[in-house]
Amino acid sequence: LESYRSTSIDDLGSVRWQLALCLIVIFLIVYFSLWKGIHGSGKVVWVTATAPYLILAILLVRGLTLDGAKDGILFYVTPNLNKLASPQVWFAAAQQIFFSL
């Protein structure tokens, strides 16, 4: 829905055809996944369990081949010990601890 274009709370806007099409595709995928019952679900589980690892591996290779990837990795794994002397760093760390409670 295009609620950001609405004039009031009663006017939700029109249906976005891209989202409606995606919803129909997802409904069809779920329907055909469940159509044959438990016998076909093993294949679906095999694909959905391994697909994220395949996608992550592709993204890792893509990220490592970008310009400046070596510099970014070195910046990430090389600590800057001078920052530990700053009280702002410790204050931010304490904030994160209290936010996680």
Side-chain angles (χ1 to χ4, degrees), residues 1-6 11-20:
L1 298 176
E2 295 181 353
S3 59
Y4 62 93
R5 292 185 180 176
S6 68
D11 179 27
L12 295 178
S14 62
V15 176
R16 295 181 62 191
W17 67 269
Q18 297 95 338
L19 292 178

Side-chain angles (χ1 to χ4, degrees), residues 88-101:
Q88 292 172 344
V89 172
W90 292 101
F91 181 70
Q95 271 186 323
Q96 289 298 318
I97 290 170
F98 286 116
F99 282 139
S100 67
L101 294 177

Side-chain angles (χ1 to χ4, degrees), residues 1 4-5 10 30 38 42 47 51 53 58 63 75 77 79-80 83 85-87 91 93 96 98 101:
L1 298 176
Y4 62 93
R5 292 185 180 176
D10 295 330
V30 169
I38 196 72
V47 170
Y53 294 110
I58 291 170
F75 180 79
V77 298
N80 185 358
K83 293 277 187 176
S86 172
F91 181 70
Q96 289 298 318
F98 286 116
L101 294 177

Side-chain angles (χ1 to χ4, degrees), residues 61-80:
V61 170
R62 171 67 178 134
L64 291 176
T65 58
L66 290 173
D67 291 334
K70 180 182 174 187
D71 297 332
I73 292 171
L74 287 177
F75 180 79
Y76 179 70
V77 298
T78 305
N80 185 358

